[in-house]
């Protein structure tokens, strides 16, 4: 699993990158890696971090006695580049599946991970999604708009899991602005991406409000 953790904490209003902010006494990124390890204990983990954050991450691993085995890859200027750098760490001869997960999604369930793996084994590409519960409104370029049928939309989560050779082919392309996540890179080849149920707790922690919710979830557990 390639765990992309290139955040800088801008939306958090903090000098500490969001993946290193503390949740229940340890960095969020450690919680994320622990969840993935619990889901599949033999899963190989690659953490993608900006070069300037890697020494700090190693210090944190020592400080918190974090022992889950993982490799570290260099982050890029875009999500696409970071994912590609993580993918490049996997030996060319390796076959099977590869997944991409957000470093600040520490509440992914083992069931969600397994559903994605099983679907990708069958269909080569799978992502977890959740129904949209809020009313959605389309805004046209002139400032007008109208509500849309939310049953036609889904909120996309991670991990996003693909056949590894399919992922290699997809990430050999030049970057395009339309690549908003890893699935969009694969879909640009004309490939079908299956959807499976995610889990509502699998939030992405990017704002102070998200961190409040995350702390409340930890306390409830």
């Amino acid at each position: 699993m390639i765990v992309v953790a290139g955040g800088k904490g801008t939306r958090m209003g903090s000098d500490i990158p969001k993946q290193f902010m503390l949740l229940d006494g340890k960095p969020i990124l450690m919680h994320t890696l622990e969840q993935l390890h619990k889901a599949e204990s033999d899963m190989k983990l690659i953490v993608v971090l900006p070069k300037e954050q890697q020494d700090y991450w190693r210090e944190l691993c020592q400080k918190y006695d974090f022992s889950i085995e993982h490799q570290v890859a260099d982050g890029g200027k875009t999500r696409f580049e970071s994912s590609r750098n993580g993918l490049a760490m996997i030996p060319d001869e390796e076959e099977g599946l590869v997944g991409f997960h957000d470093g600040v999604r520490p509440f992914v369930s083992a069931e969600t991970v397994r559903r994605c793996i099983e679907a990708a084994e069958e269909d080569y590409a799978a992502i977890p999604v959740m129904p949209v519960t809020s009313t959605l409104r389309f805004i046209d370029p002139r400032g007008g708009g109208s509500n849309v049928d939310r049953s036609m939309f889904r909120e996309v989560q991670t991990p996003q899991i693909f056949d590894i050779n399919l992922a290699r082919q997809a990430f050999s392309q030049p970057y395009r602005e339309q690549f908003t996540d890893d699935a969009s890179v694969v879909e640009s080849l004309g490939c079908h991406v299956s959807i499976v149920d995610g889990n509502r707790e699998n939030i992405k922690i990017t704002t102070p409000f998200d961190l409040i919710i995350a702390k409340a979830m930890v306390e409830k557990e």
Side-chain angles (χ1 to χ4, degrees), residues 44-58:
K44 296 179 181 178
L45 298 170
I46 297 172
V47 177
V48 184
L49 286 168
K51 286 184 179 180
E52 63 271 18
Q53 295 179 9
Q54 292 177 13
D55 285 342
Y56 183 54
W57 170 244
R58 283 187 279 268

Side-chain angles (χ1 to χ4, degrees), residues 66-219:
F66 186 74
S67 59
I68 292 177
E69 187 175 345
H70 63 279
Q71 296 174 277
V72 176
D74 295 339
K77 294 180 180 178
T78 62
R79 170 61 178 250
F80 174 85
E81 188 177 341
S82 292
S83 294
R84 184 171 61 186
N85 289 352
L87 186 61
M89 295 281 288
I90 302 173
D92 292 340
E93 64 273 13
E94 195 153 324
E95 301 287 332
L97 301 176
V98 62
F100 300 85
H101 188 61
D102 296 321
V104 288
R105 285 190 189 268
F107 300 112
V108 61
S109 69
E111 293 76 16
T112 293
V113 174
R114 290 168 190 153
R115 281 193 292 267
C116 290
I117 291 173
E118 290 170 3
E121 286 174 339
E122 184 76 21
D123 297 328
Y124 297 95
I127 60 174
V129 302
M130 289 298 296
V132 176
T133 57
S134 299
T135 298
L136 295 179
R137 188 169 182 83
F138 168 76
I139 304 298
D140 64 39
R142 295 173 294 179
S146 60
N147 288 3
V148 298
D149 182 359
R150 66 186 177 197
S151 69
M152 301 291 291
F153 297 88
R154 294 292 183 272
E155 178 185 344
V156 177
Q157 300 179 337
T158 66
Q160 301 184 355
I161 299 184
F162 314 101
D163 174 84
I164 194 167
N165 289 320
L166 175 60
R168 287 177 178 132
Q169 182 182 355
F171 280 94
S172 68
Q173 303 176 89
Y175 170 72
R176 284 184 265 166
E177 289 187 0
Q178 296 94 322
F179 294 159
T180 55
D181 66 355
D182 304 295
S184 63
V185 181
V186 171
E187 283 182 315
S188 71
L189 298 178
C191 299
H192 169 72
V193 174
S194 293
I195 61 173
V196 301
D197 291 337
N199 61 289
R200 181 61 66 190
E201 302 83 5
N202 189 17
I203 63 171
K204 186 176 182 181
I205 303 174
T206 57
T207 69
F209 181 73
D210 298 331
L211 191 57
I212 292 171
I213 297 298
K215 290 178 178 178
M217 289 169 61
V218 169
E219 290 175 2

Side-chain angles (χ1 to χ4, degrees), residues 16-64:
I16 301 174
K18 57 191 177 185
Q19 59 269 20
F20 301 145
M21 298 186 78
L22 298 186
L23 176 64
D24 194 30
K26 61 186 171 185
I28 292 171
L29 180 55
M30 291 183 184
H31 286 277
T32 302
L33 296 176
E34 286 173 351
Q35 283 294 103
L36 294 171
H37 184 68
K38 287 178 185 176
E40 295 286 335
S41 59
D42 60 348
M43 180 186 294
K44 296 179 181 178
L45 298 170
I46 297 172
V47 177
V48 184
L49 286 168
K51 286 184 179 180
E52 63 271 18
Q53 295 179 9
Q54 292 177 13
D55 285 342
Y56 183 54
W57 170 244
R58 283 187 279 268
E59 291 173 9
L60 289 173
C61 288
Q62 290 183 342
K63 178 178 179 180
Y64 292 92

